[in-house]
Amino acid sequence: IEQQDDLHARCEVVREDEIGNLTASFNQMTGHVLRLNESILQEQERLRDAEFRALQAQIKPHFLYNTLDSIAWLSRRHENQKVVEMVMALTDFFRIALSRGADIISVKEEVAHVQSYLKIQKIRYDSLFDYDFYIESGAERYAIPKLVLQPIVENALYHGVKPSGRKCRICVNVLEQDDYLLLEVIDNGA
């Protein structure tokens, strides 16, 4: 055997007896196991991709409906500046969310996406919260899956801030720590 614990390893068939047949069967079996492993990995990747896309699809319609409803109410109250701000933030939100089909975007784009989200929510719930961002210098250059932060920020708003009954703060921090990136969403709500 060429290398131990390697499914690519093959035994040389040098005999034409039972040992030779076993060796040939071993080679066929390891090849079959290797193909099965590759098939399983591809299926797992497709499943992860489908789950990710399903999550993205759930977020957009609900958020879009609420935002459009808020824009309608602001328009009825003749709060034109807030309508403009909200429409611009919504435009930025979807421009980044679409990302030309890319699932991996820069931290800078992900932060801009969350900033658009919070700007919209701040117009809707002005008296409920304030927010701030701290992005460590150099951290913006990293690439991450899109929509990593926004669901967590939404969770902080709906499960931390809103139930508290008082004005709260949401902080989003992006920090470099050793060989990894730390993304934090902190609220002082419930």
Side-chain angles (χ1 to χ4, degrees), residues 110-142:
E110 180 70 5
V111 166
H113 181 76
V114 173
Q115 286 171 330
S116 297
Y117 172 80
L118 283 172
K119 186 181 291 185
I120 291 166
Q121 298 294 35
K122 179 72 173 154
I123 293 169
R124 289 181 69 206
Y125 304 114
D126 183 47
S127 63
L128 282 182
F129 74 99
D130 288 318
Y131 64 89
D132 55 42
F133 285 81
Y134 174 75
I135 315 304
E136 194 170 65
S137 177
E140 290 182 332
R141 74 178 190 276
Y142 286 90

Side-chain angles (χ1 to χ4, degrees), residues 120-182:
I120 291 166
Q121 298 294 35
K122 179 72 173 154
I123 293 169
R124 289 181 69 206
Y125 304 114
D126 183 47
S127 63
L128 282 182
F129 74 99
D130 288 318
Y131 64 89
D132 55 42
F133 285 81
Y134 174 75
I135 315 304
E136 194 170 65
S137 177
E140 290 182 332
R141 74 178 190 276
Y142 286 90
I144 59 174
K146 70 179 175 184
L147 289 179
V148 169
L149 281 172
Q150 189 267 328
I152 300 168
V153 170
E154 183 175 353
N155 218 28
L157 178 62
Y158 285 99
H159 301 289
V161 171
K162 285 181 86 174
S164 74
R166 60 183 166 76
K167 191 163 189 171
C168 296
R169 178 167 295 281
I170 296 174
C171 300
V172 178
N173 301 317
V174 181
L175 311 164
E176 284 186 277
Q177 295 202 342
D178 300 321
D179 293 336
Y180 62 93
L181 195 63
L182 175 63

Side-chain angles (χ1 to χ4, degrees), residues 20-158:
N21 288 339
L22 282 172
T23 303
S25 293
F26 171 81
N27 288 339
Q28 288 177 341
M29 178 190 67
T30 56
H32 184 67
V33 169
L34 186 62
R35 286 188 300 279
L36 284 173
N37 281 345
E38 289 171 3
S39 176
I40 289 168
L41 288 174
Q42 288 173 353
E43 187 59 33
Q44 287 173 341
E45 183 63 32
R46 282 192 294 270
L47 180 61
R48 274 192 302 274
D49 187 51
E51 289 172 345
F52 186 67
R53 291 189 189 285
L55 175 64
Q56 289 176 333
Q58 288 173 358
I59 292 168
K60 292 174 191 168
H62 180 283
F63 176 69
L64 180 59
Y65 171 81
N66 288 336
T67 303
L68 291 174
D69 188 51
S70 294
I71 290 170
W73 279 106
L74 290 170
S75 179
R76 285 184 192 113
R77 292 192 323 231
H78 303 289
E79 296 187 45
N80 296 335
Q81 184 57 39
K82 286 185 179 180
V83 168
V84 169
E85 289 173 27
M86 194 173 259
V87 168
M88 295 304 294
L90 185 63
T91 301
D92 290 342
F93 178 86
F94 277 106
R95 180 182 46 79
I96 295 166
L98 295 173
S99 306
R100 291 180 230 111
D103 291 329
I104 305 296
I105 62 175
S106 70
V107 166
K108 182 178 182 176
E109 290 171 303
E110 180 70 5
V111 166
H113 181 76
V114 173
Q115 286 171 330
S116 297
Y117 172 80
L118 283 172
K119 186 181 291 185
I120 291 166
Q121 298 294 35
K122 179 72 173 154
I123 293 169
R124 289 181 69 206
Y125 304 114
D126 183 47
S127 63
L128 282 182
F129 74 99
D130 288 318
Y131 64 89
D132 55 42
F133 285 81
Y134 174 75
I135 315 304
E136 194 170 65
S137 177
E140 290 182 332
R141 74 178 190 276
Y142 286 90
I144 59 174
K146 70 179 175 184
L147 289 179
V148 169
L149 281 172
Q150 189 267 328
I152 300 168
V153 170
E154 183 175 353
N155 218 28
L157 178 62
Y158 285 99

